[in-house]
Amino acid sequence: MGEDTDTTRTLNHSFLRDHNYVTEADIISTVEFNHTGELLATGDKGGRVVIFQREPEGKTEPFSQGEYNVYNTFQSHEPEFDYLKSLEIEEKINKIRWLPQQNAAHFLLSTNDKTVKLWKVSERDKRPEGYNLKDEEGRMKNLSTVTSLQVPVLKPMDLMVEVSPRRVFANAHTYHVNSISVNSDHETYMSADDLRINLWHLGITNRSFNIVDIKPVNMEDLTEVITAAEFHPHHCNLLVYSSSKGTLRLCDMREAALCDKHSKLFEEPEDPSNRSFFSEIISSVSDVKFSHSGRYLLTRDYLTAKVWDLNMENKPLEIYQVHEYLRSKLCSLYENDCIFDKFECVWNGSDSVIMTGAYNNFFRMFDRNTKRDVTLEASRESSKPRAVLKPRRVCQGGKRRKDDISVDSLDFTKKILHTAWHPTENIIAIAATNNLYIFQDKLNQEMHG
C-alpha cells in the first residue's frame, strides 16, 4: 500500500446528515469484514449496525473492482437503565464479529457494554401465494367457504434483506464488555469485560462459563484490568488476553476449566531510562490480534505496535513506532484525556503488513519484510474516485519539508481508532469519526517509506 494506492470509494456512515455537525450517535465505534470480505459491518455510538456489500465486478470494465454499497441498516441495541445500580447502559456498539458462513444466511454478533446479540442476515426474493386458509392480506378465511384445495406457489418479488435477532446473551457481565471473539470450533464464543472472560455456546443464552476471573477479593488491591481478548484462529483451546499493565497472557482451556493460571506470559522488561509518570498509562495494551497463521500476536499500546512470537515470551519480535513524536507531548495529552484513547491494530491477509491508526486522521502501515513504513491520511481529498493517497510526514522542529506537518498543528480530535483489512485483498476500511473510508490498492504495490 502506498503511492499507487487507489481509492475505491468513501462511504459516509452518516449518509445525508450535515457534515459540519457530528452528533455523538453517528460516531463509528467498530468496523469488521466478514470471512470472505464481501460484507463489511460498522457499528456506531447510536447502537446501529450498517452492513455494506461489495458489488460484483463491473461487466463493462472487467478489471474494475466492486464497490461497497449499503446492504442493510438496523438498530442493534437501545439505551437501557440498570435500576439496581442506577446506571445508564449506553447503546454504543463496542464490537462486531461475523460467524463463518454455513448456509445462504449470514450471522453476526454485536455487543454493547453488557449484552451480546446474535443477528441473522438473509435475503428473500420470493413470496408464497395461494394459501388455502388465508386470504391475500394474511387474514384467516372462514373455513366454511373453503371448498377446494390448492398448492401454494412461490412468486418472484423485489429482493428484501431481512435482519432478525436470533439470540440475546445477557446478564453475564458486571463490568463493561470490551471484546467478543468467535472460536474456531464455530460453536462457542467468548466475551471479555474489565475483570472477567466468559465462554458461551452460540445456542445457549441462559448460561455461560467463567474462564478467566482476575477480580481481587478486595477491590482496593486491583492493579490491572483486561483490555482485549481473542481466540486462536486454529486451536479452539487457546486464547490470549491483554492487560492495562502491558502484559499478554496465553491460556489453554485443556489445562484447567478456570484459566486464571496462564500458560504463557508475554512481557517486556521496562527500560529504566524511559521511566516517567506516564509509563504505566502508555504501556497499557489497547488491542491484541492473532496473525492469520496463528504464529504471532500483534499488540498496540499508546505509542507503539508490537509483534510477538508465541514461542518467545521475554520480548517482542518487532517494535514499530507509531507516533514517537508524541512522547514529548504526553503531559498535554494526559490533560485532554487523549492518552487514554484505545487504538486498534490489524494484520493484512498474508501477515506481512500491519496497520493501525493515529491522530489527524492519519493511519500507519508497516511492512514487516522490507521494514518500510508509511503514514497515510483519510480525508475528503484522498477519497475522490481514483485519487492517489500521498504519504504524509510529521516533523518535530528543525528543517521542514514543503508538505510536512508540524506536531503542534495535529488535530487530536480527528483520530483513527478503528480499522479493518479485507481477509485476502488489499482493501482497507478506515473509520474516521462519522465517516467510513474504503481504500484499495490496484497494483498491490509495495510501500514507499
Side-chain angles (χ1 to χ4, degrees), residues 55-297:
E55 299 298 324
E57 290 189 14
K59 293 183 178 63
T60 50
E61 301 174 70
F63 299 107
S64 75
Q65 292 292 317
E67 296 181 343
Y68 284 84
N69 290 313
V70 175
Y71 183 57
N72 194 277
T73 306
F74 64 96
Q75 188 73 32
S76 170
H77 288 69
E78 303 277 359
E80 293 177 60
F81 193 79
D82 185 333
Y83 293 99
L84 290 175
K85 297 198 178 84
S86 293
L87 282 177
E88 283 187 42
I89 301 169
E90 287 184 350
E91 65 272 39
K92 174 190 161 209
I93 308 296
N94 291 342
K95 284 285 185 290
I96 291 171
R97 289 290 179 264
W98 292 90
L99 272 60
Q101 191 175 1
Q102 309 209 333
N103 53 35
H106 297 272
F107 289 86
L108 64 84
L109 290 167
S110 63
T111 186
N112 67 349
D113 284 341
K114 299 287 181 188
T115 305
V116 184
K117 296 184 181 182
L118 175 66
W119 298 89
K120 179 183 181 182
V121 184
S122 54
E123 292 183 352
R124 204 167 65 170
D125 61 357
K126 294 183 177 67
R127 68 166 184 266
E129 278 185 11
Y131 284 111
N132 289 295
L133 304 179
K134 292 179 190 169
D135 62 17
E136 298 305 314
E137 272 78 53
R139 292 187 297 261
M140 292 299 290
K141 291 179 184 174
N142 182 346
L143 295 184
S144 61
T145 63
V146 180
T147 56
S148 63
L149 291 177
Q150 57 184 349
V151 178
V153 292
L154 289 172
K155 291 279 180 70
M157 60 177 261
D158 289 342
L159 180 70
M160 265 180 61
V161 180
E162 295 180 320
V163 178
S164 53
R166 301 313 297 258
R167 307 264 191 282
V168 177
F169 306 89
N171 305 321
H173 285 280
T174 310
Y175 307 98
H176 291 179
V177 176
N178 55 47
S179 305
I180 47 176
S181 178
V182 180
N183 200 342
S184 59
D185 64 11
H186 302 175
E187 286 188 358
T188 55
Y189 79 91
M190 68 172 164
S191 55
D193 67 24
D194 298 330
L195 297 178
R196 296 188 181 103
I197 299 175
N198 292 331
L199 179 69
W200 301 83
H201 190 285
L202 283 160
I204 301 169
T205 59
N206 61 355
R207 186 171 74 244
S208 66
F209 296 97
N210 179 237
I211 50 174
V212 173
D213 187 346
I214 66 166
K215 183 176 183 281
V217 178
N218 182 355
M219 283 296 272
E220 288 178 10
D221 299 332
L222 183 69
T223 58
E224 64 180 331
V225 295
I226 297 167
T227 54
E230 190 176 56
F231 272 120
H232 190 283
H234 313 301
H235 301 303
C236 62
N237 53 294
L238 294 179
L239 63 109
V240 68
Y241 70 90
S242 57
S243 93
S244 55
K245 274 195 164 176
T247 59
L248 303 172
R249 289 178 175 85
L250 186 75
C251 302
D252 188 341
M253 293 192 292
R254 292 177 306 187
E255 288 180 1
L258 192 61
C259 299
D260 287 354
K261 291 189 175 66
H262 50 265
S263 303
K264 290 190 176 186
L265 175 69
F266 299 85
E267 188 172 20
E268 188 179 23
E270 190 182 25
D271 180 357
S273 63
N274 271 344
R275 180 88 191 136
S276 76
F277 171 75
F278 304 109
S279 296
E280 199 162 304
I281 302 173
I282 63 171
S283 67
S284 175
V285 175
S286 54
D287 196 18
V288 59
K289 295 269 171 51
F290 273 104
S291 61
H292 296 85
S293 67
R295 170 73 188 267
Y296 303 104
L297 289 166

Side-chain angles (χ1 to χ4, degrees), residues 203-410:
I204 301 169
T205 59
N206 61 355
R207 186 171 74 244
S208 66
F209 296 97
N210 179 237
I211 50 174
V212 173
D213 187 346
I214 66 166
K215 183 176 183 281
V217 178
N218 182 355
M219 283 296 272
E220 288 178 10
D221 299 332
L222 183 69
T223 58
E224 64 180 331
V225 295
I226 297 167
T227 54
E230 190 176 56
F231 272 120
H232 190 283
H234 313 301
H235 301 303
C236 62
N237 53 294
L238 294 179
L239 63 109
V240 68
Y241 70 90
S242 57
S243 93
S244 55
K245 274 195 164 176
T247 59
L248 303 172
R249 289 178 175 85
L250 186 75
C251 302
D252 188 341
M253 293 192 292
R254 292 177 306 187
E255 288 180 1
L258 192 61
C259 299
D260 287 354
K261 291 189 175 66
H262 50 265
S263 303
K264 290 190 176 186
L265 175 69
F266 299 85
E267 188 172 20
E268 188 179 23
E270 190 182 25
D271 180 357
S273 63
N274 271 344
R275 180 88 191 136
S276 76
F277 171 75
F278 304 109
S279 296
E280 199 162 304
I281 302 173
I282 63 171
S283 67
S284 175
V285 175
S286 54
D287 196 18
V288 59
K289 295 269 171 51
F290 273 104
S291 61
H292 296 85
S293 67
R295 170 73 188 267
Y296 303 104
L297 289 166
L298 170 61
T299 62
R300 172 68 206 264
D301 56 42
Y302 191 63
L303 294 179
T304 67
K306 294 173 182 168
V307 173
W308 301 77
D309 188 321
L310 282 192
N311 300 326
M312 188 168 80
E313 298 166 60
N314 60 336
K315 63 172 194 254
L317 195 63
E318 301 150 24
I319 300 177
Y320 300 98
Q321 303 297 336
V322 178
H323 38 207
E324 181 63 19
Y325 47 79
L326 294 184
R327 195 175 284 278
S328 60
K329 302 276 177 205
L330 292 177
C331 199
S332 55
L333 291 163
Y334 178 76
E335 285 168 4
N336 65 14
D337 276 354
C338 284
I339 201 168
F340 301 107
D341 285 335
K342 292 177 169 54
F343 292 95
E344 295 172 6
C345 51
V346 290
W347 299 88
N348 72 340
S350 62
D351 298 334
S352 60
V353 182
I354 61 171
M355 174 172 69
T356 190
Y359 292 107
N360 210 65
N361 276 0
F362 289 168
F363 57 98
R364 304 270 283 134
M365 288 185 177
F366 302 92
D367 188 311
R368 298 179 59 216
N369 299 323
T370 65
K371 300 302 175 193
R372 289 174 171 163
D373 67 277
V374 68
T375 302
L376 301 169
E377 182 180 7
S379 67
R380 289 295 159 106
E381 290 67 46
S382 65
S383 65
K384 296 188 175 85
R386 313 209 66 75
V388 170
L389 284 179
K390 292 190 182 69
R392 309 303 302 262
R393 274 172 51 92
V394 177
C395 71
Q396 294 174 273
K399 281 190 176 175
R400 195 170 151 194
R401 291 197 232 162
K402 187 168 77 79
D403 292 329
D404 282 4
I405 295 131
S406 109
V407 176
D408 296 320
S409 62
L410 293 174

